[in-house]
Amino acid sequence: MKRRAIIHVTGIVQGVGFRPFVYRVAKSLSLMGYVLNLGDAGVEIVVEGTEKQIKKLINSIKNDLPSISRIDTLDSKWAPAENTFSEFVIHKSSIERNDEAIPVLPPDIAICNDCVKDLLDPQSSWYQYGFTSCAACGPRYSTITDLPYDRRNTTMIDFPLCDTCNTGYTNPLDRRYHAQTTACDTCGPRYRLVDRDENNFTDENPIVAIAKLIDDGSIAALQGIAGTHIATKTSDAGPIEILRERKKRFQRPFALMVRDFDTLKELVNINKLEERIITSWRRPIVLASKKSNSCVLPLIQESVLDVIAPGLDSIGVMLPYSPMHHLLFKYSKELALVMTSANPTGMPMYIDPKTILKELGSIADYFLLHDRRIDQRSDDSVVKLTSEDNPVFIRRARGYVPEPLVFNGPWKSLKILGVGPEEKATGALAKSGRVYMTQYIGDTNQVENIEFLTQAIDHMKHLLNISKLDGVACDLHPEFLSTELAEQITSENDIPLFRVQHHHAHLSSLIVDGLIPIDNRIVCITADGYGYGEDGTAWGGEVLVGGLKDYERKGGLIAQDYTGGDLSAIYSSRAFLGIVGDKMESEKILQILASAEVSPSQKITADMLDILVKASNRKLNTVRSTSTGRV
């Protein structure tokens, strides 16, 4: 006996080949009906057939879906068959927007193995094509301008499909069916290679050419999926030292992109969880400990690794995640490349060729640039294990954003914006029991980053169909630029502003992250660099007791006078002097601090110590705080 089932699925089911998967399974089971992308409300499947076959479809959706897909909810309603279908089809995406929907926006996805094969196959239409992708891989969030996720709502609208690509795009049995970023060298975006004077450098494949130039010791700027990297070889310390001098980045470590996982295992210590993370389709940077006596050390010498990550026993490593990366290693002799963000620390990623050429003209020798618009810039995500089974984000960006976090509670119906603190900021929007975080923004003490934050928030609001906020949350500090942004938004929209004490925010995050019941109160010991206190002083070492709604300050460290303002939060030697400067003899202090720095490139000396102690005693450029600085 035939029946009808109306199936509603939410989760990561858009832009990941989910509808073609449903189509193929339904056809194999001789079912009739359709699958429809509901825009911001998931996917609807209406199907008719025997109950046994329909249940097989549902079981396959639950257990055999594409690896990148994720089901959050699957609801099915049964009804008598209406016999209105003659086949199973994929309907055109709905453009309706539901104000209370829970959209799951697809993040950028690393190139899949099938596309890598096409990339390296001389018989393929996508041979050596630097933008190869399919329905299961490729750029997503960096290209999306609107929902539903269709080609017309991405930056790929600039590149009409050729006949070959359109054939795959319109064939439900092809893995490039409705692959919104699919293209080839005939119809899609292209790379070009230029020198510092913006002269085209080669007529051959520019990625092949830049690989050879890097092997010869050149420093290259590589425009990628969502930003720009600076790359050098690693078999010689010379180019890396030149890069450090040009960028004026003498101590901060560089990340490495390694040819393949087998090579990576010889370079760093990787456990099973780290392996799963670094080889996943998200492809983050993983901070891992260096391996000694490595068989790759003849090519990546210890002395070179010390230049890459000075004085550290760990190093950031990642695997290739774009077609361009795979082609680089195909034609380069290097086992690994330095792959560091091209932008200055704390500033937004460079995403357009003019800016790249202007800002990096004195740093890079050659520039690999493309003509695909990047709508949303995004850094590489960075993950570190704090224990064998506990990964934490150092930076949450490409590959993870804008995937939401579940945050149910009595506030589920509210739409709230959080603008973040001043350092390492991320914006966040709460809607329908989910928190959608923007990509990593950086330090919002820069006007450029406030503009970046504003644009990222506006884009997320648009995709989430949020026309009216119920409130905005910001840090309690009155002078943060992010606080000014929050004040501006609330004033213009006549909505409440919630000023949150910095360490109360930390306390609240522990409750949420620890899955502690939301009405519980906890004891929270904060050891932070700085947090503006409710009494107007600088807090940093407090014992707080409270919950999500309120807190009490029960105790903490004794407040001390620190010289140099924010420098005392960065250079622990200043914090040490603030605590013991008038209680310990100068010789003993110098012995303990040895050659510690008190400011950029300024080490402690007897004369400098005398100046700092006098400044502290006279309260010159000092800040009184319970903090002991950042460690």
PDB file of all heavy atoms in Angstrom, residues 440-469:
ATOM      1  N   TYR A 440      36.866  35.346  12.920  1.00  0.00           N
ATOM      2  CA  TYR A 440      37.800  36.057  13.793  1.00  0.00           C
ATOM      3  C   TYR A 440      38.056  37.449  13.220  1.00  0.00           C
ATOM      4  O   TYR A 440      38.364  37.603  12.040  1.00  0.00           O
ATOM      5  CB  TYR A 440      39.100  35.263  13.884  1.00  0.00           C
ATOM      6  CG  TYR A 440      40.220  35.951  14.628  1.00  0.00           C
ATOM      7  CD1 TYR A 440      40.289  35.903  16.011  1.00  0.00           C
ATOM      8  CD2 TYR A 440      41.218  36.635  13.936  1.00  0.00           C
ATOM      9  CE1 TYR A 440      41.328  36.523  16.694  1.00  0.00           C
ATOM     10  CE2 TYR A 440      42.256  37.253  14.608  1.00  0.00           C
ATOM     11  CZ  TYR A 440      42.308  37.196  15.985  1.00  0.00           C
ATOM     12  OH  TYR A 440      43.336  37.813  16.656  1.00  0.00           O
ATOM     13  N   ILE A 441      37.916  38.473  14.061  1.00  0.00           N
ATOM     14  CA  ILE A 441      38.068  39.857  13.612  1.00  0.00           C
ATOM     15  C   ILE A 441      39.459  40.401  13.913  1.00  0.00           C
ATOM     16  O   ILE A 441      40.101  41.016  13.073  1.00  0.00           O
ATOM     17  CB  ILE A 441      37.006  40.767  14.270  1.00  0.00           C
ATOM     18  CG1 ILE A 441      35.594  40.280  13.912  1.00  0.00           C
ATOM     19  CG2 ILE A 441      37.210  42.218  13.851  1.00  0.00           C
ATOM     20  CD1 ILE A 441      35.252  40.332  12.443  1.00  0.00           C
ATOM     21  N   GLY A 442      39.953  40.167  15.134  1.00  0.00           N
ATOM     22  CA  GLY A 442      41.245  40.721  15.536  1.00  0.00           C
ATOM     23  C   GLY A 442      41.071  41.722  16.658  1.00  0.00           C
ATOM     24  O   GLY A 442      40.108  41.664  17.428  1.00  0.00           O
ATOM     25  N   ASP A 443      41.987  42.657  16.765  1.00  0.00           N
ATOM     26  CA  ASP A 443      41.959  43.652  17.837  1.00  0.00           C
ATOM     27  C   ASP A 443      41.182  44.881  17.382  1.00  0.00           C
ATOM     28  O   ASP A 443      41.561  45.536  16.403  1.00  0.00           O
ATOM     29  CB  ASP A 443      43.380  44.049  18.236  1.00  0.00           C
ATOM     30  CG  ASP A 443      44.173  42.874  18.789  1.00  0.00           C
ATOM     31  OD1 ASP A 443      43.537  41.876  19.172  1.00  0.00           O
ATOM     32  OD2 ASP A 443      45.412  42.959  18.838  1.00  0.00           O
ATOM     33  N   THR A 444      40.114  45.204  18.105  1.00  0.00           N
ATOM     34  CA  THR A 444      39.232  46.285  17.670  1.00  0.00           C
ATOM     35  C   THR A 444      39.671  47.654  18.181  1.00  0.00           C
ATOM     36  O   THR A 444      38.872  48.583  18.243  1.00  0.00           O
ATOM     37  CB  THR A 444      37.778  46.005  18.102  1.00  0.00           C
ATOM     38  OG1 THR A 444      37.735  45.779  19.517  1.00  0.00           O
ATOM     39  CG2 THR A 444      37.231  44.794  17.378  1.00  0.00           C
ATOM     40  N   ASN A 445      40.946  47.785  18.541  1.00  0.00           N
ATOM     41  CA  ASN A 445      41.473  49.118  18.816  1.00  0.00           C
ATOM     42  C   ASN A 445      41.935  49.793  17.530  1.00  0.00           C
ATOM     43  O   ASN A 445      42.481  50.895  17.557  1.00  0.00           O
ATOM     44  CB  ASN A 445      42.627  49.052  19.823  1.00  0.00           C
ATOM     45  CG  ASN A 445      43.766  48.160  19.348  1.00  0.00           C
ATOM     46  OD1 ASN A 445      43.649  47.458  18.339  1.00  0.00           O
ATOM     47  ND2 ASN A 445      44.870  48.171  20.071  1.00  0.00           N
ATOM     48  N   GLN A 446      41.724  49.100  16.397  1.00  0.00           N
ATOM     49  CA  GLN A 446      42.045  49.645  15.083  1.00  0.00           C
ATOM     50  C   GLN A 446      40.744  49.976  14.350  1.00  0.00           C
ATOM     51  O   GLN A 446      39.804  49.172  14.340  1.00  0.00           O
ATOM     52  CB  GLN A 446      42.834  48.624  14.254  1.00  0.00           C
ATOM     53  CG  GLN A 446      44.086  48.091  14.928  1.00  0.00           C
ATOM     54  CD  GLN A 446      45.253  49.046  14.808  1.00  0.00           C
ATOM     55  OE1 GLN A 446      45.194  50.008  14.055  1.00  0.00           O
ATOM     56  NE2 GLN A 446      46.315  48.780  15.546  1.00  0.00           N
ATOM     57  N   VAL A 447      40.695  51.150  13.725  1.00  0.00           N
ATOM     58  CA  VAL A 447      39.493  51.556  12.993  1.00  0.00           C
ATOM     59  C   VAL A 447      39.168  50.552  11.890  1.00  0.00           C
ATOM     60  O   VAL A 447      38.000  50.226  11.644  1.00  0.00           O
ATOM     61  CB  VAL A 447      39.677  52.971  12.400  1.00  0.00           C
ATOM     62  CG1 VAL A 447      38.505  53.325  11.493  1.00  0.00           C
ATOM     63  CG2 VAL A 447      39.808  54.000  13.510  1.00  0.00           C
ATOM     64  N   GLU A 448      40.217  50.032  11.224  1.00  0.00           N
ATOM     65  CA  GLU A 448      39.985  49.072  10.141  1.00  0.00           C
ATOM     66  C   GLU A 448      39.252  47.831  10.638  1.00  0.00           C
ATOM     67  O   GLU A 448      38.405  47.275   9.935  1.00  0.00           O
ATOM     68  CB  GLU A 448      41.322  48.657   9.510  1.00  0.00           C
ATOM     69  CG  GLU A 448      42.046  49.766   8.773  1.00  0.00           C
ATOM     70  CD  GLU A 448      42.960  50.576   9.676  1.00  0.00           C
ATOM     71  OE1 GLU A 448      42.839  50.461  10.925  1.00  0.00           O
ATOM     72  OE2 GLU A 448      43.798  51.320   9.150  1.00  0.00           O
ATOM     73  N   ASN A 449      39.570  47.398  11.856  1.00  0.00           N
ATOM     74  CA  ASN A 449      38.914  46.206  12.386  1.00  0.00           C
ATOM     75  C   ASN A 449      37.496  46.489  12.859  1.00  0.00           C
ATOM     76  O   ASN A 449      36.641  45.601  12.833  1.00  0.00           O
ATOM     77  CB  ASN A 449      39.747  45.604  13.519  1.00  0.00           C
ATOM     78  CG  ASN A 449      40.837  44.688  12.994  1.00  0.00           C
ATOM     79  OD1 ASN A 449      40.838  44.333  11.821  1.00  0.00           O
ATOM     80  ND2 ASN A 449      41.760  44.310  13.847  1.00  0.00           N
ATOM     81  N   ILE A 450      37.233  47.708  13.310  1.00  0.00           N
ATOM     82  CA  ILE A 450      35.853  48.078  13.646  1.00  0.00           C
ATOM     83  C   ILE A 450      35.001  48.066  12.376  1.00  0.00           C
ATOM     84  O   ILE A 450      33.852  47.602  12.371  1.00  0.00           O
ATOM     85  CB  ILE A 450      35.806  49.458  14.325  1.00  0.00           C
ATOM     86  CG1 ILE A 450      36.284  49.342  15.775  1.00  0.00           C
ATOM     87  CG2 ILE A 450      34.395  50.036  14.296  1.00  0.00           C
ATOM     88  CD1 ILE A 450      35.358  48.543  16.683  1.00  0.00           C
ATOM     89  N   GLU A 451      35.569  48.549  11.276  1.00  0.00           N
ATOM     90  CA  GLU A 451      34.850  48.505   9.999  1.00  0.00           C
ATOM     91  C   GLU A 451      34.624  47.060   9.566  1.00  0.00           C
ATOM     92  O   GLU A 451      33.545  46.708   9.065  1.00  0.00           O
ATOM     93  CB  GLU A 451      35.647  49.266   8.937  1.00  0.00           C
ATOM     94  CG  GLU A 451      35.722  50.768   9.198  1.00  0.00           C
ATOM     95  CD  GLU A 451      36.645  51.486   8.233  1.00  0.00           C
ATOM     96  OE1 GLU A 451      37.382  50.790   7.491  1.00  0.00           O
ATOM     97  OE2 GLU A 451      36.643  52.732   8.213  1.00  0.00           O
ATOM     98  N   PHE A 452      35.639  46.214   9.755  1.00  0.00           N
ATOM     99  CA  PHE A 452      35.525  44.786   9.433  1.00  0.00           C
ATOM    100  C   PHE A 452      34.445  44.138  10.293  1.00  0.00           C
ATOM    101  O   PHE A 452      33.586  43.389   9.797  1.00  0.00           O
ATOM    102  CB  PHE A 452      36.891  44.137   9.652  1.00  0.00           C
ATOM    103  CG  PHE A 452      36.951  42.646   9.412  1.00  0.00           C
ATOM    104  CD1 PHE A 452      36.018  41.980   8.630  1.00  0.00           C
ATOM    105  CD2 PHE A 452      37.985  41.897   9.977  1.00  0.00           C
ATOM    106  CE1 PHE A 452      36.091  40.611   8.415  1.00  0.00           C
ATOM    107  CE2 PHE A 452      38.070  40.532   9.772  1.00  0.00           C
ATOM    108  CZ  PHE A 452      37.119  39.893   8.993  1.00  0.00           C
ATOM    109  N   LEU A 453      34.456  44.426  11.600  1.00  0.00           N
ATOM    110  CA  LEU A 453      33.457  43.875  12.516  1.00  0.00           C
ATOM    111  C   LEU A 453      32.053  44.314  12.110  1.00  0.00           C
ATOM    112  O   LEU A 453      31.122  43.497  12.073  1.00  0.00           O
ATOM    113  CB  LEU A 453      33.762  44.328  13.945  1.00  0.00           C
ATOM    114  CG  LEU A 453      32.743  43.955  15.025  1.00  0.00           C
ATOM    115  CD1 LEU A 453      32.630  42.441  15.172  1.00  0.00           C
ATOM    116  CD2 LEU A 453      33.113  44.591  16.369  1.00  0.00           C
ATOM    117  N   THR A 454      31.898  45.585  11.791  1.00  0.00           N
ATOM    118  CA  THR A 454      30.588  46.112  11.394  1.00  0.00           C
ATOM    119  C   THR A 454      30.083  45.414  10.140  1.00  0.00           C
ATOM    120  O   THR A 454      28.917  45.000  10.061  1.00  0.00           O
ATOM    121  CB  THR A 454      30.677  47.627  11.151  1.00  0.00           C
ATOM    122  OG1 THR A 454      31.157  48.272  12.333  1.00  0.00           O
ATOM    123  CG2 THR A 454      29.317  48.201  10.779  1.00  0.00           C
ATOM    124  N   GLN A 455      30.963  45.260   9.153  1.00  0.00           N
ATOM    125  CA  GLN A 455      30.573  44.609   7.904  1.00  0.00           C
ATOM    126  C   GLN A 455      30.219  43.143   8.132  1.00  0.00           C
ATOM    127  O   GLN A 455      29.228  42.634   7.582  1.00  0.00           O
ATOM    128  CB  GLN A 455      31.717  44.733   6.886  1.00  0.00           C
ATOM    129  CG  GLN A 455      31.372  44.273   5.481  1.00  0.00           C
ATOM    130  CD  GLN A 455      31.574  42.785   5.276  1.00  0.00           C
ATOM    131  OE1 GLN A 455      32.379  42.158   5.966  1.00  0.00           O
ATOM    132  NE2 GLN A 455      30.840  42.211   4.337  1.00  0.00           N
ATOM    133  N   ALA A 456      31.003  42.447   8.963  1.00  0.00           N
ATOM    134  CA  ALA A 456      30.742  41.030   9.233  1.00  0.00           C
ATOM    135  C   ALA A 456      29.408  40.848   9.957  1.00  0.00           C
ATOM    136  O   ALA A 456      28.652  39.913   9.666  1.00  0.00           O
ATOM    137  CB  ALA A 456      31.884  40.437  10.056  1.00  0.00           C
ATOM    138  N   ILE A 457      29.112  41.740  10.897  1.00  0.00           N
ATOM    139  CA  ILE A 457      27.839  41.674  11.625  1.00  0.00           C
ATOM    140  C   ILE A 457      26.668  41.946  10.683  1.00  0.00           C
ATOM    141  O   ILE A 457      25.658  41.231  10.695  1.00  0.00           O
ATOM    142  CB  ILE A 457      27.842  42.675  12.797  1.00  0.00           C
ATOM    143  CG1 ILE A 457      28.795  42.207  13.902  1.00  0.00           C
ATOM    144  CG2 ILE A 457      26.429  42.858  13.359  1.00  0.00           C
ATOM    145  CD1 ILE A 457      29.034  43.241  14.980  1.00  0.00           C
ATOM    146  N   ASP A 458      26.792  42.985   9.864  1.00  0.00           N
ATOM    147  CA  ASP A 458      25.711  43.327   8.931  1.00  0.00           C
ATOM    148  C   ASP A 458      25.447  42.175   7.960  1.00  0.00           C
ATOM    149  O   ASP A 458      24.289  41.870   7.635  1.00  0.00           O
ATOM    150  CB  ASP A 458      26.060  44.598   8.157  1.00  0.00           C
ATOM    151  CG  ASP A 458      25.988  45.849   9.021  1.00  0.00           C
ATOM    152  OD1 ASP A 458      25.395  45.782  10.116  1.00  0.00           O
ATOM    153  OD2 ASP A 458      26.538  46.891   8.602  1.00  0.00           O
ATOM    154  N   HIS A 459      26.520  41.543   7.487  1.00  0.00           N
ATOM    155  CA  HIS A 459      26.365  40.419   6.559  1.00  0.00           C
ATOM    156  C   HIS A 459      25.652  39.253   7.244  1.00  0.00           C
ATOM    157  O   HIS A 459      24.736  38.644   6.665  1.00  0.00           O
ATOM    158  CB  HIS A 459      27.740  39.978   6.063  1.00  0.00           C
ATOM    159  CG  HIS A 459      27.705  38.864   5.063  1.00  0.00           C
ATOM    160  ND1 HIS A 459      27.177  39.007   3.799  1.00  0.00           N
ATOM    161  CD2 HIS A 459      28.127  37.575   5.140  1.00  0.00           C
ATOM    162  CE1 HIS A 459      27.278  37.873   3.141  1.00  0.00           C
ATOM    163  NE2 HIS A 459      27.850  36.980   3.930  1.00  0.00           N
ATOM    164  N   MET A 460      26.050  38.950   8.479  1.00  0.00           N
ATOM    165  CA  MET A 460      25.424  37.849   9.206  1.00  0.00           C
ATOM    166  C   MET A 460      23.957  38.153   9.499  1.00  0.00           C
ATOM    167  O   MET A 460      23.091  37.276   9.381  1.00  0.00           O
ATOM    168  CB  MET A 460      26.181  37.592  10.508  1.00  0.00           C
ATOM    169  CG  MET A 460      25.782  36.316  11.218  1.00  0.00           C
ATOM    170  SD  MET A 460      26.461  34.846  10.443  1.00  0.00           S
ATOM    171  CE  MET A 460      28.132  34.887  11.069  1.00  0.00           C
ATOM    172  N   LYS A 461      23.656  39.394   9.878  1.00  0.00           N
ATOM    173  CA  LYS A 461      22.259  39.782  10.112  1.00  0.00           C
ATOM    174  C   LYS A 461      21.424  39.581   8.857  1.00  0.00           C
ATOM    175  O   LYS A 461      20.286  39.105   8.920  1.00  0.00           O
ATOM    176  CB  LYS A 461      22.189  41.251  10.552  1.00  0.00           C
ATOM    177  CG  LYS A 461      22.562  41.517  11.995  1.00  0.00           C
ATOM    178  CD  LYS A 461      22.562  43.010  12.294  1.00  0.00           C
ATOM    179  CE  LYS A 461      21.210  43.637  12.046  1.00  0.00           C
ATOM    180  NZ  LYS A 461      21.231  45.107  12.288  1.00  0.00           N
ATOM    181  N   HIS A 462      21.985  39.939   7.716  1.00  0.00           N
ATOM    182  CA  HIS A 462      21.262  39.791   6.456  1.00  0.00           C
ATOM    183  C   HIS A 462      20.988  38.318   6.160  1.00  0.00           C
ATOM    184  O   HIS A 462      19.853  37.950   5.810  1.00  0.00           O
ATOM    185  CB  HIS A 462      22.070  40.418   5.322  1.00  0.00           C
ATOM    186  CG  HIS A 462      21.485  40.204   3.965  1.00  0.00           C
ATOM    187  ND1 HIS A 462      20.306  40.801   3.561  1.00  0.00           N
ATOM    188  CD2 HIS A 462      21.891  39.434   2.919  1.00  0.00           C
ATOM    189  CE1 HIS A 462      20.021  40.417   2.327  1.00  0.00           C
ATOM    190  NE2 HIS A 462      20.970  39.587   1.915  1.00  0.00           N
ATOM    191  N   LEU A 463      22.002  37.470   6.313  1.00  0.00           N
ATOM    192  CA  LEU A 463      21.812  36.051   6.031  1.00  0.00           C
ATOM    193  C   LEU A 463      20.830  35.407   7.000  1.00  0.00           C
ATOM    194  O   LEU A 463      20.088  34.492   6.633  1.00  0.00           O
ATOM    195  CB  LEU A 463      23.155  35.318   6.093  1.00  0.00           C
ATOM    196  CG  LEU A 463      24.194  35.684   5.022  1.00  0.00           C
ATOM    197  CD1 LEU A 463      25.443  34.830   5.194  1.00  0.00           C
ATOM    198  CD2 LEU A 463      23.637  35.524   3.615  1.00  0.00           C
ATOM    199  N   LEU A 464      20.811  35.889   8.238  1.00  0.00           N
ATOM    200  CA  LEU A 464      19.914  35.330   9.253  1.00  0.00           C
ATOM    201  C   LEU A 464      18.533  35.976   9.229  1.00  0.00           C
ATOM    202  O   LEU A 464      17.667  35.621  10.030  1.00  0.00           O
ATOM    203  CB  LEU A 464      20.528  35.495  10.641  1.00  0.00           C
ATOM    204  CG  LEU A 464      21.853  34.766  10.891  1.00  0.00           C
ATOM    205  CD1 LEU A 464      22.385  35.071  12.283  1.00  0.00           C
ATOM    206  CD2 LEU A 464      21.683  33.265  10.705  1.00  0.00           C
ATOM    207  N   ASN A 465      18.342  36.932   8.323  1.00  0.00           N
ATOM    208  CA  ASN A 465      17.051  37.611   8.184  1.00  0.00           C
ATOM    209  C   ASN A 465      16.643  38.310   9.482  1.00  0.00           C
ATOM    210  O   ASN A 465      15.488  38.257   9.906  1.00  0.00           O
ATOM    211  CB  ASN A 465      15.964  36.617   7.754  1.00  0.00           C
ATOM    212  CG  ASN A 465      14.728  37.313   7.211  1.00  0.00           C
ATOM    213  OD1 ASN A 465      14.819  38.391   6.624  1.00  0.00           O
ATOM    214  ND2 ASN A 465      13.563  36.709   7.404  1.00  0.00           N
ATOM    215  N   ILE A 466      17.616  38.958  10.122  1.00  0.00           N
ATOM    216  CA  ILE A 466      17.345  39.722  11.343  1.00  0.00           C
ATOM    217  C   ILE A 466      17.207  41.193  10.966  1.00  0.00           C
ATOM    218  O   ILE A 466      18.191  41.854  10.628  1.00  0.00           O
ATOM    219  CB  ILE A 466      18.472  39.545  12.379  1.00  0.00           C
ATOM    220  CG1 ILE A 466      18.561  38.085  12.824  1.00  0.00           C
ATOM    221  CG2 ILE A 466      18.242  40.452  13.583  1.00  0.00           C
ATOM    222  CD1 ILE A 466      19.708  37.800  13.776  1.00  0.00           C
ATOM    223  N   SER A 467      16.008  41.689  11.000  1.00  0.00           N
ATOM    224  CA  SER A 467      15.766  43.093  10.657  1.00  0.00           C
ATOM    225  C   SER A 467      15.710  43.975  11.899  1.00  0.00           C
ATOM    226  O   SER A 467      15.943  45.181  11.823  1.00  0.00           O
ATOM    227  CB  SER A 467      14.460  43.230   9.875  1.00  0.00           C
ATOM    228  OG  SER A 467      13.366  42.692  10.616  1.00  0.00           O
ATOM    229  N   LYS A 468      15.408  43.372  13.051  1.00  0.00           N
ATOM    230  CA  LYS A 468      15.272  44.143  14.285  1.00  0.00           C
ATOM    231  C   LYS A 468      15.893  43.372  15.439  1.00  0.00           C
ATOM    232  O   LYS A 468      15.495  42.247  15.740  1.00  0.00           O
ATOM    233  CB  LYS A 468      13.787  44.404  14.578  1.00  0.00           C
ATOM    234  CG  LYS A 468      13.507  45.111  15.893  1.00  0.00           C
ATOM    235  CD  LYS A 468      13.934  46.574  15.875  1.00  0.00           C
ATOM    236  CE  LYS A 468      13.477  47.292  17.141  1.00  0.00           C
ATOM    237  NZ  LYS A 468      13.932  48.706  17.184  1.00  0.00           N
ATOM    238  N   LEU A 469      16.884  43.972  16.075  1.00  0.00           N
ATOM    239  CA  LEU A 469      17.517  43.366  17.242  1.00  0.00           C
ATOM    240  C   LEU A 469      16.727  43.705  18.502  1.00  0.00           C
ATOM    241  O   LEU A 469      16.080  44.754  18.585  1.00  0.00           O
ATOM    242  CB  LEU A 469      18.948  43.874  17.393  1.00  0.00           C
ATOM    243  CG  LEU A 469      19.973  43.418  16.350  1.00  0.00           C
ATOM    244  CD1 LEU A 469      21.235  44.264  16.444  1.00  0.00           C
ATOM    245  CD2 LEU A 469      20.305  41.943  16.539  1.00  0.00           C
TER     246      LEU A 469
END
